Amino acid sequence: MITPTRSRYAVEKWITDRSEADEACLAVLDVLDEVVTRAEVDAYSDFDEQMPEHVREAQESLRARGRAQRPGKHDPGMFVAVSRNDSDGWCLVRTYASWSINVALYYADGVRSIATLHDCGYSITAKLTPTEVALLTERLQHLSAVVMLPTSRKRWWPFARQHANGRLG
């Protein structure tokens, strides 16, 4: 079986609303559901004051997992690993993803990142196949375009900075 080629894409819209961030993060999680084997979640948020109670509970549960994974380390909230096979843990990831300062999703090898849900869902990139691009585009058609990023970081970084400063899109 031939594995489809993946290219790096971004959710184009500068997301500024918590419900939009949640919708975009869940769409990426759903589209990549069969490919992702684990996530690393930073259980910190830039929106603590706005956080609903069920999300706050997910945050505390993730931090407890972090303490269990790395006893004695001073920061249990960073890089909390959650396996896709852990249904309770994956529910925490889905609940907290759009509130986290960073969620990294990983391929089957567990080493290479396939997607990043960054800045509390305001910046999302993913390595997608053409089929996944179509699915994500359909899910987000009323919210945002899904655009391919340049392959060279030298060309991508100015694009991201201009986008962040409101000069694009």
Side-chain angles (χ1 to χ4, degrees), residues 9-87:
Y9 287 81
V11 174
E12 183 180 39
K13 183 179 188 278
W14 191 250
I15 295 173
T16 57
D17 178 87
R18 299 304 315 138
S19 63
E20 290 177 347
D22 189 54
E23 185 175 355
C25 288
L26 289 175
V28 171
L29 286 163
D30 289 345
V31 166
L32 295 175
D33 189 60
E34 294 182 16
V35 181
V36 171
T37 59
R38 73 179 179 93
E40 282 185 355
V41 180
D42 293 347
Y44 294 100
S45 180
D46 293 331
F47 295 95
D48 286 330
E49 293 91 29
Q50 298 174 26
M51 193 179 292
E53 187 59 32
H54 74 284
V55 176
R56 192 171 311 283
E57 290 169 4
Q59 180 185 54
E60 287 306 314
S61 294
L62 287 163
R63 288 180 182 173
R65 285 170 175 256
R67 282 189 292 278
Q69 290 170 7
R70 293 180 311 282
K73 300 292 182 188
H74 74 280
D75 194 347
M78 296 298 288
F79 312 111
V80 180
V82 180
S83 169
R84 178 62 188 92
N85 295 326
D86 173 357
S87 60

Side-chain angles (χ1 to χ4, degrees), residues 126-146:
K127 294 175 187 169
L128 303 171
T129 65
T131 301
E132 291 164 346
V133 171
L135 291 169
L136 188 58
T137 298
E138 182 179 337
R139 285 280 303 266
L140 297 178
Q141 67 184 346
H142 65 285
L143 179 64
S144 174
V146 178

